[in-house]
Amino acid sequence: MKRIKLSYPKIVSLTLILILFLTGCGNSSSTTGAGNENTGSQAESLTIKLAGMTPPDHPLTVGAEKFKELVEEKSEGKIKVELYPNLQLGAIREQTEQVQLGTIHMTQTLLSTVTSFNAETLQVFEYPFLWPNNEDQIWEVLSGEAGTKALDHLEAVKFKGFGFWAGGFKSMTSKGDPILTPSDLSGKNMRVIPSEILIKTYETYGANPVPIEFAELYNALQQGVVDAQENPLETISSNKLYEVQDHLSITEHGYQFYMIVANLDWFNGLSPEFQQIIMESEEESRIYARDLTQEMSDTRIKEFPELGLEVHTLSEEQRNEFVELSLPLHKEFSNTPEKKELLDIIYKELGIQ
């Protein structure tokens, strides 16, 4: 075989051409992975991984589908959204942790789960019997200073929070006897999510709170590991908890807040155009899902008796028994200046003295 000899100048020229070619490839603006590759205004495409926790037809899942639709429409196809609902990428905490680490871009998660990532100030929103029964008042408060301060606290732990998603008022279900007063909880194994606030609350009511991940809840109720649990009506319905519980008590003792959070570094690395599209789409889909949640809650109340779940509404006297035990916990839980400040803002906006 005849060898081709290259002169030194030709070698240099070929080397420069190769470097320019590789540099051009390395600056490709199409990005799909997690992390911080999606930076600057030159990005031409983006694929977002959005993890979720709820099954199909749940308002949260429908809201995620709306988010995908809006993002892809507003970006004219430059941004694609891959949805992974129903805990496909792990338990709620695992998915939230993956976002914090940058393994995935965004997730729908529980506010209670987010607070366990050194965002304890947001625990104020979980205080028992803090929120009025008028849901419009809740959203009015969260659209103001209280909501802004809460979202700001997330950035210190590498989350970009956009707003608060509706899960509905929480009620209690039980096996055997209904829960109508705190004394009905005495000695009962009450399933709670791993939350310091909820654990202390149910201890105050006389129950034995048992932290169990959501994915294990149905089996825990079925096998008698726990006797009772708390959740919004839609969650009780979509996860068929009526199959393993006898009674539903409409306590409305708290509000279930969800959130979409993103990895902060990843979000900050996006172009202003892409950031705006994501924020606008999140807000529109959040309101869309909120309206759907309110509509479906009214429907579920009527359906539960037909599914074998006896529905109980607390009298004013019964509710007050819970309230009297709950209100002192607000001050006890507010053990940092940040929590005290946030609670004072909420009290002021709700007209609580």
Side-chain angles (χ1 to χ4, degrees):
M1 182 181 294
K2 185 176 179 180
R3 294 186 178 181
I4 300 175
K5 293 184 179 180
L6 296 176
S7 65
Y8 179 80
K10 288 183 178 179
I11 292 174
V12 172
S13 298
L14 288 172
T15 301
L16 289 172
I17 291 171
L18 181 60
I19 290 172
L20 289 171
F21 174 78
L22 292 174
T23 302
C25 291
N27 287 335
S28 171
S29 56
S30 178
T31 55
T32 56
N36 299 320
E37 299 99 336
N38 308 305
T39 58
S41 59
Q42 300 301 313
E44 294 178 0
S45 65
L46 171 67
T47 299
I48 299 173
K49 290 183 179 180
L50 172 58
M53 54 177 287
T54 50
D57 300 327
H58 189 285
L60 213 64
T61 306
V62 176
E65 292 166 353
K66 188 69 173 178
F67 174 76
K68 170 182 169 68
E69 174 191 326
L70 290 169
V71 166
E72 294 181 353
E73 178 184 310
K74 290 175 184 288
S75 68
E76 298 180 341
K78 292 178 182 178
I79 307 177
K80 302 293 184 184
V81 179
E82 295 178 355
L83 299 179
Y84 298 89
N86 211 18
L87 302 175
Q88 290 182 43
L89 300 184
I92 300 172
R93 180 175 176 82
E94 292 171 343
Q95 293 184 158
T96 308
E97 188 174 44
Q98 289 178 65
V99 169
Q100 189 183 48
L101 295 173
T103 309
I104 55 179
H105 307 105
M106 305 175 72
T107 188
Q108 287 178 316
T109 187
L110 283 164
L111 171 68
S112 302
T113 301
V114 174
T115 62
S116 67
F117 287 82
N118 295 319
E120 293 88 355
T121 301
L122 277 71
Q123 289 176 342
V124 172
F125 291 170
E126 296 184 274
Y127 291 179
F129 292 96
L130 169 65
W131 300 106
N133 292 46
N134 184 341
E135 198 167 339
D136 289 340
Q137 281 185 273
I138 297 177
W139 302 121
E140 185 177 346
V141 169
L142 294 182
S143 66
E145 185 181 3
T148 301
K149 280 192 174 295
L151 294 176
D152 287 344
H153 281 292
L154 288 178
E155 298 202 1
V157 290
K158 296 298 182 181
F159 288 121
K160 169 64 180 178
F162 301 95
F164 301 92
W165 285 57
F169 287 102
K170 293 191 288 186
S171 291
M172 302 180 196
T173 67
S174 57
K175 187 83 172 173
D177 300 319
I179 298 168
L180 302 176
T181 65
S183 61
D184 295 326
L185 280 165
S186 180
K188 280 190 181 295
N189 290 331
M190 180 76 181
R191 178 268 173 178
V192 295
I193 63 172
S195 163
E196 178 186 349
I197 297 294
L198 294 179
I199 290 171
K200 177 62 177 178
T201 296
Y202 281 101
E203 286 177 345
T204 301
Y205 295 160
N208 175 33
V210 182
I212 294 176
E213 285 289 346
F214 184 74
E216 303 168 11
L217 173 57
Y218 185 97
N219 288 338
L221 292 167
Q222 186 179 46
Q223 296 167 11
V225 176
V226 288
D227 309 303
Q229 64 86 46
E230 57 153 43
N231 257 308
L233 302 182
E234 184 56 34
T235 301
I236 294 168
S237 175
S238 61
N239 290 275
K240 300 184 178 181
L241 300 185
Y242 51 80
E243 295 179 345
V244 288
Q245 297 277 266
D246 300 325
H247 300 278
L248 168 66
S249 301
I250 307 298
T251 52
E252 296 185 335
H253 56 283
Y255 197 90
Q256 183 91 296
F257 293 106
Y258 297 99
M259 302 185 74
I260 284 185
V261 294
N263 177 275
L264 181 64
D265 291 338
W266 167 79
F267 183 81
N268 286 342
L270 298 178
S271 68
E273 176 192 2
F274 281 6
Q275 289 180 353
Q276 188 65 28
I277 288 171
I278 291 171
M279 289 190 293
E280 287 179 1
S281 301
E282 188 277 340
E283 182 177 9
E284 289 180 38
S285 58
R286 182 184 351 127
I287 295 171
Y288 175 82
R290 180 191 304 170
D291 293 341
L292 187 59
T293 295
Q294 292 172 338
E295 291 173 13
M296 295 183 80
S297 292
D298 294 337
T299 302
R300 298 309 180 204
I301 286 287
K302 300 173 184 176
E303 292 177 345
F304 283 135
E306 300 173 6
L307 296 169
L309 194 61
E310 189 173 346
V311 178
H312 307 267
T313 301
L314 272 60
S315 68
E316 185 175 353
E317 183 180 353
Q318 289 169 333
R319 179 180 172 85
N320 283 339
E321 287 189 47
F322 281 105
V323 172
E324 287 177 10
L325 289 174
S326 302
L327 292 183
L329 293 174
H330 294 186
K331 289 186 178 180
E332 180 181 339
F333 291 151
S334 299
N335 53 8
T336 67
E338 292 80 12
K339 288 181 185 177
K340 290 176 183 176
E341 180 186 22
L342 186 55
L343 180 63
D344 287 344
I345 293 170
I346 294 172
Y347 272 8
K348 181 179 179 181
E349 295 188 4
L350 291 177
I352 299 174
Q353 300 297 324

